[in-house]
Amino acid sequence: MKNCRKSIFLILLLSISLMPISVNAEESGRYATMVSASPYEVGTGGTVEIEALVTGQQYFDDDETTRYNIWAESSTEETYTIAQNKDAIEGMITYSWLVPESIPTGYYLICVEESDSGAMSQSSVECDSISIIRYHIEMEVNNEILLPGETIRVWTTVSSPINGSPESPETAGWKMTYTTQGEEFWDTDAQVKSGILTPSSANEFAVLMPSNLHSDYDLYITFYANDSSGTQLSAHSINVPVGQLDTSISQPSPGQVIPLGSDFVLQLSCKRISDWYEWMPEKNLALTVKLEQGNIKSPVSISSTLSGQPSSIVSDSDGIVSVLLAADNSVLEIGSAELVVYWTDTYSSEEVNTSTTVHISADSSESLTGVGLQVVIDGPLTSSEPGEEIILTVNTLDMAGNPLAGIWIHHLTSRSTINSEDDRSKWTMQQSDNQGKLTVLVTIPLDLNPASGSISLYATAKNATGVSDSESHQIRLIVPQVTISPSTVNWLPGDEVVIRINVDDMSRQVAAFWSVSELEIEGTLTFAANSQGSFSFQVPDRTSFSHLQISVVVIDSNGDTDSDYHSLQRLDGFSLMISPPDEVIVAGDKISFPYVITDMDSTDPVEYPVQWTVMVSGVADSAMTGLVNSKSGSIEYILPSDLESGSYLFAFIFEGQSTHLVIDVRSNDDASGVGGTFSAVGDSLDSASGWVSTLALIMTFVCLGLLLKGGGKKEEELGGFNEPLPVAAPMSAPMPAPMPAPMPAAMPAAMPAAMPAAYPQQAAMPAPMPAPMPEYDPTSPTGYSNPPPQQR
């Protein structure tokens, strides 16, 4: 019985927490001054983080603290308790609200009340809004811009707003709102369509749009999903603009010559455009192309010259058409023609077109002398100063580039700024001379602003057959430019810094005003515009600044100004010097590298310890790290034991400062050969020096005889004897491993230090004097001076 009562009590308590509360908050307390709830959109079962700024004190008794209540209020003015009678503190309070699974969906206000019984209620309410949803809905359509008369397809996905898992709503449906056009343009009608989706639809649907869909109004699509309770509805809407088709021809260009019976390139783009300047490519648009002269309309076919072309003119998936066409020479005449591209309008189902003007010639070798008209303006594009007179030449040419004399040219000048165009002169009519030229004198206004102003010449002309052309030419004032160059990139306290000032495109004398804001110093100097000015300043011996900002403003005699600035950084940190070891190092050895750290700024010494890292470039797992506690000393590094003999690049990094050394390393095999094998041989030869001398003398004569005997043979018959003889190892130990004998031409350039046994051995020669070890040379890339040549 007790368990039953407890269960009933819990059920009642849960029901009460989800039922609207009837407390009038304005009568029982005051509201927090600031409330924030996030996220704005939350699914049922999700969490809302609530923050509020409260006072924590009662109005009439500062010693008494307040408490606060939190509730959610729906758009239908139903309120749901979130928290009650919570202790308030002065400042920001936070509360996490777990949104109940069964709460009706919709828009809610989250309000926080600070209770203060006996005080007057606040006249304003501070709340924050959220949207509680049951499903997360995403929608996609087959075309981002819709055309009249086509089918709009909609795909939707319904998922959990908490974890994104798929959801199957109890019911789902859609609604579309759009506008159709009547007989007159201003005659519009709003249309609404809706539907219910079955579970087998997978939340996808399609609707055929009417052909009189109005292009000034968007299509609005809403999809909704409802759960089994009937109180949790989620909806999602999108708008799809209604557009129209547009094509633009890029080739042939206007006025291009097309010989009859020859091929030419057609390139154009097809796109859907809306009133909001949005566009998307129109794919698979069927086009018809014609060359037209008056009533003559000659269809243009795809050329057979180029194999693999499509059989019809259709835009590709990017809305592009690029094909080779052939001009029919049976009905067209020599002269001007229109290249017209036709397609079917989806709204009216009528044929619409775009076009460009071309010139039809008899064949590709036809002379273009006297055909057409081109206007070309020659002259400078810039001026050095206001008041200057600029000479411009207007040329009238035919399509072959020959001058046309006696062409009437209409021209005017126009002054413009960045924001507007004004001060247009009246039109002047003049004829080109016998060279097809007309000289026009343009004066740069004295008050023209170099930074934003320009003056332009517009010219238009027409020949005897009515063909016209026009051209414009803009002249801009050269903008003065000031650049400053410091004598140093970085500075230290006590340094003297020299700044050089260079000015371009300024007139006569200039005055320069400079300042260093951090040091609160400034100055002025004057110099000729065609020369260089300079100034200097002294950095104080003690300063805490990390950089100095140098600013320069220059004005010339005409009032033109420009400025420049430069930021100089303080030189900090330290310099690092690493010395290589004096002895030959062997793979696997522990070696010491002496180091010296020098402070760059004595007032800002290096803080120890300093971390260092040493590695062999290009060798994996070769890095070692340690710490140093003084400005000089040595660090120990263990070489990897698997290094081959050769030169290696060592990298030394101390707290971001790095340096490199190239150091020779001997492999373990080469090092053991020097210390073991050759030492044993040397000891054996020391006890039999007489035999060695005799044997060496005999071998010398044998080798000399072999060389003389082979002197008359061809070079390719001498084989290995044509190569340099190997040098015997020194007869003292221990010494570095001997250098390998030079390789035959057919061998690879890189060989291991030890010669393979299969390589042909040369006759032994008496051992020369051993070459002395090279001395350390800090200027050498390898760190060692070159060894002297061996004596023979």
Side-chain angles (χ1 to χ4, degrees), residues 540-562:
D541 292 333
R542 301 189 65 86
T543 178
S544 60
F545 297 114
S546 61
H547 73 281
L548 298 177
Q549 183 86 6
I550 298 99
S551 302
V552 174
V553 177
V554 178
I555 184 171
D556 69 357
S557 302
N558 291 331
D560 296 330
T561 63
D562 193 30

Side-chain angles (χ1 to χ4, degrees), residues 59-382:
Y59 277 124
F60 300 107
D61 191 349
D62 293 342
D63 295 333
E64 294 293 329
T65 59
T66 58
R67 307 178 72 81
Y68 67 89
N69 302 320
I70 307 176
W71 70 90
E73 183 176 330
S74 70
S75 57
T76 57
E77 297 185 353
E78 294 179 315
T79 55
Y80 297 84
T81 298
I82 297 176
Q84 279 188 321
N85 208 25
K86 296 292 183 179
D87 290 334
I89 59 173
E90 183 177 1
M92 188 69 68
I93 60 171
T94 60
Y95 191 86
S96 296
W97 178 41
L98 182 62
V99 180
E101 293 278 358
S102 57
I103 191 170
T105 55
Y107 294 98
Y108 283 80
L109 291 176
I110 304 299
C111 302
V112 178
E113 173 204 34
E114 188 177 3
S115 63
D116 185 7
S117 59
M120 295 182 62
S121 302
Q122 297 294 300
S123 58
S124 62
V125 177
E126 291 292 338
C127 301
D128 197 12
S129 61
I130 63 171
S131 173
I132 299 178
I133 61 174
R134 172 62 182 88
Y135 302 108
H136 177 69
I137 300 173
E138 295 174 312
M139 281 172 56
E140 294 293 337
V141 294
N142 57 335
N143 288 312
E144 286 77 15
I145 298 177
L146 183 65
L147 294 179
E150 74 174 356
T151 298
I152 180 77
R153 296 187 179 276
V154 184
W155 297 272
T156 63
T157 57
V158 182
S159 60
S160 167
I162 304 300
N163 57 18
S165 60
E167 292 270 11
S168 298
E170 184 73 18
T171 58
W174 56 268
K175 183 177 73 172
M176 289 187 180
T177 303
Y178 54 90
T179 303
T180 54
Q181 183 173 317
E183 295 182 359
E184 303 295 338
F185 185 78
W186 57 84
D187 183 10
T188 60
D189 295 296
Q191 309 288 346
V192 178
K193 276 188 173 65
S194 62
I196 303 297
L197 298 177
T198 63
S200 61
S201 68
N203 299 322
E204 298 178 7
F205 58 97
V207 177
L208 177 65
M209 291 289 100
S211 58
N212 63 335
L213 197 63
H214 204 299
S215 60
D216 287 348
Y217 300 87
D218 290 352
L219 166 69
Y220 294 91
I221 307 173
T222 300
F223 175 87
Y224 62 86
N226 201 350
D227 75 342
S228 57
S229 69
T231 62
Q232 294 185 327
L233 174 71
S234 291
H236 183 68
S237 299
I238 61 172
N239 67 297
V240 181
V242 179
Q244 54 190 352
L245 288 177
D246 178 74
T247 63
S248 57
I249 302 173
S250 55
Q251 285 195 41
S253 58
Q256 181 175 322
V257 176
I258 299 178
L260 288 175
S262 65
D263 297 339
F264 66 94
V265 176
L266 172 67
Q267 285 186 344
L268 55 88
S269 63
C270 308
K271 61 182 69 174
R272 300 180 180 198
I273 59 174
S274 70
D275 288 341
W276 301 102
Y277 303 102
E278 299 172 312
W279 68 275
M280 62 174 290
E282 177 64 10
K283 60 183 178 180
N284 301 324
L285 178 62
L287 303 168
T288 302
V289 182
K290 298 179 182 180
L291 282 170
E292 301 182 1
Q293 289 178 322
N295 294 327
I296 300 175
K297 298 183 178 181
S298 174
V300 178
S301 60
I302 294 178
S303 173
S304 59
T305 303
L306 188 62
S307 60
Q309 292 200 108
S311 57
S312 58
I313 305 175
V314 180
S315 61
D316 62 15
S317 58
D318 294 323
I320 301 299
V321 174
S322 183
V323 292
L324 188 66
L325 302 180
D328 186 7
N329 59 359
S330 59
V331 295
L332 297 175
E333 300 178 352
I334 307 303
S336 180
E338 290 289 321
L339 179 75
V340 187
V341 178
Y342 293 92
W343 68 94
T344 302
D345 179 47
T346 55
Y347 172 73
S348 62
S349 300
E350 296 179 354
E351 208 171 44
V352 292
N353 66 77
T354 186
S355 64
T356 185
T357 303
V358 296
H359 181 81
I360 303 297
S361 63
D363 53 53
S364 57
S365 61
E366 178 195 13
S367 174
L368 297 178
T369 301
V371 176
L373 173 65
Q374 300 180 79
V375 175
V376 179
I377 301 177
D378 295 330
L381 298 173
T382 59

Side-chain angles (χ1 to χ4, degrees), residues 34 43 47 68 230 342 435 478 480 502 605 626 640 748 767:
M34 189 280 292
T47 301
Y68 67 89
Y342 293 92
Q435 298 296 319
I478 299 174
N502 298 284

Side-chain angles (χ1 to χ4, degrees), residues 726 755-763:
M755 189 67 64
Y759 187 71
Q761 298 295 319
Q762 305 290 348

Side-chain angles (χ1 to χ4, degrees), residues 475-495:
I475 303 172
R476 301 194 66 88
L477 278 182
I478 299 174
V479 178
Q481 187 174 18
V482 173
T483 56
I484 59 176
S485 304
S487 59
T488 180
V489 178
N490 303 99
W491 55 270
L492 287 172
D495 284 355

